[in-house]
Amino acid sequence: MTLPDAQAPTLKLEQPQDGPAVDALLDHAFGPGRYTKVSERVREVAEFRPDLSFCAWDGGRLVGSVRMTRVRIGADEAVFLGPLAVQAEVRKYGTGGLLVQRACEAAQAAGFPLVLLVGDEPYFSRFGFSAAPARDVRLPGPVDQRRVLVRALREGGAEGLAGLVGAP
């Protein structure tokens, strides 16, 4: 580990050649059980957006990743954030938060009205995510509805949000 205390990893858009390293990081972080989660059902039908997905690098070593996919919630366009994974030894640098913020900024710049994810509200609320606007959002499988979170990227971006999450 080469990061000094004052330096965070370098964030870069995910490139096609990063795929194997990202997959290895995700396998390490989540194990084979990640394929059984409802979030994976969403990603199976969603459109991967590498232009909104980022990798965190410590020199030539991948230490974090966030992926974004384009989805629909009922009739509304959105992006789905996840998976988010960070090597344990760099979490203290706020790497996960940097990845979430950068991905949300990219989604906003691309014109998306909101970001959807499944996660812990106490962690993601610091980045503007809340369960309240997602109360009528349905995922393609069982999920604790309190973990379905939304962040509006523009005024009114999550108003009246309802419906099944599916292909764009």
Side-chain angles (χ1 to χ4, degrees):
M1 182 68 185
T2 60
L3 290 174
D5 286 336
Q7 182 179 339
T10 302
L11 303 187
K12 296 181 181 178
L13 280 172
E14 183 174 330
Q15 301 299 310
Q17 65 270 21
D18 300 333
V22 171
D23 288 339
L25 174 65
L26 296 174
D27 287 344
H28 177 74
F30 299 109
R34 74 183 173 110
Y35 294 107
T36 65
K37 296 182 180 197
V38 71
S39 295
E40 195 61 31
R41 303 294 71 78
V42 172
R43 286 188 285 276
E44 287 172 352
V45 300
E47 174 193 337
F48 176 56
R49 292 294 301 260
D51 59 318
L52 309 176
S53 302
F54 292 86
C55 293
W57 297 94
D58 173 21
R61 183 172 155 253
L62 181 72
V63 295
S65 169
V66 63
R67 286 183 164 170
M68 299 280 263
T69 53
R70 185 172 152 246
V71 297
R72 287 217 167 270
I73 303 170
D76 295 307
E77 188 174 39
V79 286
F80 187 70
L81 188 150
L84 168 67
V86 177
Q87 291 285 358
E89 70 272 13
V90 298
R91 290 182 187 150
K92 65 184 175 186
Y93 299 105
T95 303
L98 292 171
L99 286 163
V100 169
Q101 284 295 98
R102 183 70 62 86
C104 288
E105 290 166 1
Q108 185 174 31
F112 286 95
L114 63 98
V115 178
L116 172 73
L117 63 80
V118 177
D120 296 321
E121 190 170 21
Y123 176 79
F124 287 101
S125 64
R126 72 183 93 176
F127 309 112
F129 287 89
S130 172
R135 67 183 167 276
D136 294 322
V137 172
R138 299 292 168 250
L139 292 162
V143 66
D144 180 348
Q145 194 65 31
R146 296 170 297 182
R147 294 177 50 79
V148 180
L149 309 176
V150 167
R151 174 181 169 179
L153 298 177
R154 63 180 179 225
E155 188 71 32
E159 287 181 15
L161 192 60
L164 182 65
V165 176

